[in-house]
Amino acid sequence: MKINLERIEVYADLAKSRSTVVDMRELIANLIYEKGSGLACSVLAHKIYEHRGEMEFDEEEVKILRAVAETILAPAACDALTALLDNSKKD
């Protein structure tokens, strides 16, 4: 699955009337590096931190990204990353 963590639309309110485009690479990479466990998390954190633009993620990496979204991120960021992963899955 290819996704771009540099340009994620995050809504600023529940009505979804205001949004901003956010580069979440560093945030997600640091969360995986700090909160994850094992070599797979370390490799993924470095991959995200060191690359720009659209990146290819395998199923295991997507599972880690979803876990970060669902357990660590604030609700607005969780919704944004989950939507990005879901929409990319359809492509």
Side-chain angles (χ1 to χ4, degrees), residues 33-78:
Y33 191 73
E34 293 172 16
K35 308 285 185 187
S37 62
L39 183 59
C41 285
S42 178
V43 170
L44 179 57
H46 284 279
K47 175 181 177 177
I48 293 169
Y49 186 79
E50 295 166 4
H51 289 84
R52 298 190 62 89
E54 195 171 65
M55 290 181 276
E56 182 72 36
F57 295 97
D58 64 29
E59 280 186 47
E60 203 56 41
E61 292 170 329
V62 171
K63 286 181 186 177
I64 295 169
L65 289 170
R66 279 193 191 279
V68 166
E70 294 170 0
T71 61
I72 302 172
L73 292 178
C78 172

Side-chain angles (χ1 to χ4, degrees), residues 4-19:
N4 186 346
L5 296 174
E6 279 185 302
R7 300 195 48 79
I8 300 179
E9 183 177 23
V10 179
Y11 288 102
D13 60 358
L14 287 172
K16 296 185 177 181
S17 62
R18 295 179 297 124
S19 67

Side-chain angles (χ1 to χ4, degrees), residues 11-36:
Y11 288 102
D13 60 358
L14 287 172
K16 296 185 177 181
S17 62
R18 295 179 297 124
S19 67
T20 185
V21 176
V22 179
D23 181 348
M24 295 182 74
R25 288 177 311 118
E26 187 172 349
L27 170 67
I28 292 170
N30 282 328
L31 286 172
I32 292 169
Y33 191 73
E34 293 172 16
K35 308 285 185 187

